[in-house]
Amino acid sequence: MASVPTGSGYRRQLYRDDAVVLRVQKLGESDRIITLLTRRHGRLRAVARGVRRTMSRFGARLEPFGHVDLQLAGSPEGVGSSLHSVSQVEAVALYGKQFLTDYPRYTAASAIAETAERLTPVEREPSLRLFQLTLGALKALAAGEHAGGLVLDAYLLRAMATAGWAPAVAECAVCGTPGRHAAFSVPAGGAVCPDCRPPGSAHPAPATLLLMSALTDGDWMIADAAEQPVRRECSGLVAAHLQWHMERALRSLPLVDRRENP
Ligand SMILES: [Zn+2]
């Protein structure tokens, strides 16, 4: 690992990682602050300097939703400035370009990126599983083999599982009795059996809970075959479950355009 001296007295190390670009913010005239979900160093923010001047080879690679290979400067352990800087960037796959002309997919990608950021409240805390899920979801959105809304809901369900609060689907959320239960209660934690069902539980169509379970398990044969009303009901329950567990509502989720192409 190389290190370069800085004026502030400690040595900034150069290190490499690959990452998904979650967010890009302007910093002054020509710099950007890039929020990255990296494979090995968790979520971190880095300054990209002079992206406007060098737009063709540098800035264009640091657009939201891209998978990039980076060289970063800063202490990977988090000592010193919390803001790292990007010193090199190579594109692995720039998915963002493919969403620019496709509003439903763009809004789904935005909800994925916001969820990834919200599920990593602490910088530089590695979460390989969440990185893999986030990259996989953007790749699947770009490939277009499945409806964007289904890709998003599958991502939300699995991302919630990494945080430890995925809804119960194959057992009662309260007593753990296995089986497919008809009632669903967000405060109780998912599907609930007749004995545990709290007042005000929803009674979704059986196909809706089947879809939720298929999305959790990656059973795309079942998921792709689900009818629109079933998809809508499933999205509503997934969103309600997500919002219940998050301190603040996701800004991007209500904006997701679920008109489907495939
Ligand atoms: Zn029960």
Side-chain angles (χ1 to χ4, degrees), residues 99-220:
F99 307 143
L100 283 180
T101 54
D102 186 332
Y103 189 67
R105 282 181 208 282
Y106 176 82
T107 55
S110 300
I112 288 168
E114 190 183 357
T115 302
E117 188 169 350
R118 294 285 292 280
L119 289 177
T120 49
V122 180
E123 287 202 6
R124 285 188 287 268
E125 202 169 80
S127 175
L128 179 61
R129 177 71 182 142
L130 190 66
F131 170 80
Q132 289 168 331
L133 286 173
T134 306
L135 178 58
L138 293 172
K139 196 182 280 187
L141 262 190
E145 287 171 21
H146 308 290
L150 292 179
V151 172
L152 172 61
D153 287 337
Y155 173 77
L156 296 176
L157 286 163
R158 295 175 202 184
M160 285 193 273
T162 70
W165 34 264
V169 281
E171 69 285 321
C172 171
V174 178
C175 70
T177 301
R180 239 171 249 303
H181 304 293
F184 190 95
S185 164
V186 167
V192 278
C193 76
D195 293 337
C196 300
R197 189 175 55 208
S201 299
H203 281 81
T208 298
L209 291 178
L210 182 66
L211 172 59
M212 198 182 288
S213 156
L215 290 172
T216 303
D217 299 340
D219 188 341
W220 287 100

Side-chain angles (χ1 to χ4, degrees), residues 9-208:
Y10 73 96
R11 295 176 86 76
R12 286 163 73 81
Q13 288 176 325
L14 293 175
Y15 64 101
R16 295 199 78 88
D17 206 342
D18 66 319
V20 172
V21 177
L22 299 180
R23 195 147 62 98
V24 178
Q25 294 156 281
K26 276 188 161 187
L27 179 68
E29 275 299 294
S30 62
D31 300 345
R32 299 282 184 277
I33 294 179
I34 317 290
T35 302
L36 299 159
L37 183 62
T38 69
R39 186 184 296 270
R40 291 189 300 277
H41 300 89
R43 180 179 60 80
L44 54 88
R45 295 188 312 144
V47 181
R49 299 208 183 275
V51 289
R52 187 171 290 172
R53 286 195 301 276
T54 52
M55 195 50 115
S56 59
R57 65 172 188 82
F58 201 97
R61 297 171 195 166
L62 291 171
E63 289 295 326
F65 321 129
H67 180 203
V68 291
D69 197 48
L70 298 146
Q71 187 183 63
L72 294 151
S75 168
E77 288 79 35
V79 185
S81 164
S82 74
L83 220 51
H84 292 199
S85 59
V86 177
S87 55
Q88 281 176 23
V89 54
E90 302 294 335
V92 180
L94 300 178
Y95 300 122
K97 277 192 173 65
Q98 300 176 52
F99 307 143
L100 283 180
T101 54
D102 186 332
Y103 189 67
R105 282 181 208 282
Y106 176 82
T107 55
S110 300
I112 288 168
E114 190 183 357
T115 302
E117 188 169 350
R118 294 285 292 280
L119 289 177
T120 49
V122 180
E123 287 202 6
R124 285 188 287 268
E125 202 169 80
S127 175
L128 179 61
R129 177 71 182 142
L130 190 66
F131 170 80
Q132 289 168 331
L133 286 173
T134 306
L135 178 58
L138 293 172
K139 196 182 280 187
L141 262 190
E145 287 171 21
H146 308 290
L150 292 179
V151 172
L152 172 61
D153 287 337
Y155 173 77
L156 296 176
L157 286 163
R158 295 175 202 184
M160 285 193 273
T162 70
W165 34 264
V169 281
E171 69 285 321
C172 171
V174 178
C175 70
T177 301
R180 239 171 249 303
H181 304 293
F184 190 95
S185 164
V186 167
V192 278
C193 76
D195 293 337
C196 300
R197 189 175 55 208
S201 299
H203 281 81
T208 298

